[in-house]
Amino acid sequence: MSVVYLLEAFQTILSDPSSLLFILTGVTAGIIVGCLPGLTATMGCALLIPFTFGLPPIQGLLMLMGIFTGGIYGGSISGILIRTPGTPAAAATLLDGYPMAQKGEAGKAIGIGTIASFVGGTIGALIMAFLAPQIADFGLRFGPPEFFALAVFGLTMIISISGESLLKGAIAAILGLLLTTIGYDPLSGVPRFTLENDNLLGGITFIPALIGMFGFAQVFRNIEKMEVVPQVKSKVGKILPSFKEVKPLLPTMTKSGGMGAITGSVPGLGCDVAAFVAYGEAKRTSKKPEEFGKGSHEGIAAPEAANNGATGGAMIPMLTLGVPGDAVTAVLLGALTIHGFQPGPLLFQDHPEIVYPIFAGMILCQVVLLIVGLFGARTFSRLINIDIKVLTPVIFLLCILGSYSMRFSFFDVGLALTIGVFAYFMGHFKFPVSPILLALILGPMAEQNMRRSLMLSQDDLTIFISRPISAVFLILAVVMVITSYRKYKKLQKIDNDAKQNAQKS
Amino acid sequence: MDSRRIDTGVGLGLAVLSSVIYFFAGQYTAFGVNTYGPNFFPQLLAVLLFICSGCLVFNALRGNSKAELEGFHKGGLIKVGVTLAIAVLYLFAMQLLGFVISSMMFLYLIMFALGKKQHWRIALISISVTAVVWFIFAYLLMIPMPEGIFSRSY
């Protein structure tokens, strides 16, 4: 059944040239934002969402898919050329990409990365298209207690991978959850923490918060670093690798794409973890593991296939259960909501006309990515050389306009600027920002479903553990916290031992 | 940067914040709602925040917070402050002078503050970027841009 829907969706998109144009625009814009160091894919999506407001839903969503796909891929270009990953997902790519660039093969490295992104991304998109409807079917069995437990599970996953300090990740997540309580309480209608400001009655608007955390904060960071870090210039050679060079990489690309999709589908893991997992696996199974880190073709193919495969994977929990896989999918979830669609199992039942074009669009994005990536690599790599003192003010202006254009409100711009300043200082004090973003998505889901469950059970808290699915999610959440705490302690011990050894020697 | 002092300060600040939140959230009551009303979730979060901030202070005082904090670069921080001030002025200017004029001034001033000194070049960039952005937002996306005193009255 889903194959028929998928084919219909392809027909819908391909019969309307404007849809293809929006995919092309999205992919190109995504690559541009992704390849500029200091602009992450999350920031790119946040900045470019306002451009989709005026579009019909399908076209707007197709453009967003393009931005997402292009953004993740684009990060590798600057990683290969100047050893600065445009996005965290490209951090594994530079391990072998940059050594290749030093050998004068930057173009070839970008070419291999592009083909790997296409193969991995297509596999990820196909896995998403066939797995998501099954998970959504399963999700239909969920009631309020299950959704509450799922939100808790999602949050613990995110905290556990949120950087150097679990505690700081948890604090960030709680602050994010508290932000979601501002405005009318959805169940009783009581206004909370609005400080008698009418602009806050509807709560903290998602886009300004997003642009504040990922746009303004990054702009401030770039401005501060401009003083200390000089801009690096880059050069590209021949782009297209020969078929003889690509053929032996195909099995690695296929395997890494699949692994990426599976890793990306676990809430909290995301594209960057997927890339490192695939890189490690490729090195382990490679016939030439000694070449890794010195410009191995496999070392570029594996993480690139995995991080683009993970884009499809990360969409699975977001679309089917309303739980974002990582920060970028959290942005996409917010964008879907702005376009009037609430991700979750009911989306598949109520709006198949939206879901299947998303799947088909994701696959088409990969094809467009291959074409734009191979033919435009030279142009994109020139963008890295744009004077940062010109680029930063332009991004600053786009951030201001982005936060204004949601409700045409200057209050929203002020709010985004304030959040941006907070996020900038949080970055300095090593508090991760991503948990806040995910808490903004998961907070209302957690609160509303918790209180609905307690209404159902007449205040009996055991409802959360007496229902099997909810109990499993809560147990998984506890296991997650314990294991990540142990891992954190172990890493701390290794770090301390290393420091002591260094002192002794 | 001394992470211990920062973490202690942030922890204490958050502890105060959580207490204020707990107090204010206690005032949110609704009729016809079960025990877990609009106050419950924020109060629960306030308690969790208080515990976490306590742990942060405790860790810092015991010398466990060893994460290397990013130091502030003084010159950079001043530039951040200056650009932020320009952005705030821009918001007011946009309401008065409209998008086009204020944006050109904003871009010019920020580029100048960041160290671009070729006046003609940055003026040209400011005008062209504003024109492109206006065309995309106002013309293609049909987003009503602020017109300030130049707004047309119908």
Side-chain angles (χ1 to χ4, degrees), chain A residues 103-186:
Chain A
K103 287 185 214 165
E105 294 181 324
K108 201 187 276 178
I110 295 176
I112 292 173
T114 312
I115 296 167
S117 297
F118 163 72
V119 175
T122 310
I123 291 169
L126 285 171
I127 290 179
M128 169 180 83
F130 290 104
L131 211 62
Q134 324 301 330
I135 296 177
D137 267 352
F138 176 66
L140 285 173
R141 294 183 211 167
F142 287 19
E146 285 77 17
F147 275 115
F148 166 71
L150 185 64
V152 173
F153 171 66
L155 277 171
T156 51
M157 284 295 293
I158 284 130
I159 294 164
S160 62
I161 54 138
S162 60
E164 293 168 39
S165 167
L166 281 179
L167 189 59
K168 288 184 176 177
I171 289 176
I174 296 171
L175 287 174
L177 290 173
L178 277 167
L179 282 179
T180 65
T181 62
I182 295 174
Y184 280 123
D185 167 35

Side-chain angles (χ1 to χ4, degrees), chain A residues 143-146 148 187 446-465 467, chain B residues 33-37 40-41 44:
Chain A
E146 285 77 17
F148 166 71
L187 295 185
E447 181 183 12
Q448 288 172 33
N449 286 300
M450 179 183 70
R451 285 172 52 201
R452 277 196 195 119
S453 313
L454 291 169
M455 278 179 192
L456 282 174
S457 70
Q458 294 180 329
D459 292 348
D460 182 6
L461 285 164
T462 56
I463 187 171
F464 298 115
I465 45 170
R467 295 175 58 136
Chain B
V33 177
N34 60 343
T35 322
Y36 303 97
F40 177 67
F41 197 62
L44 175 73

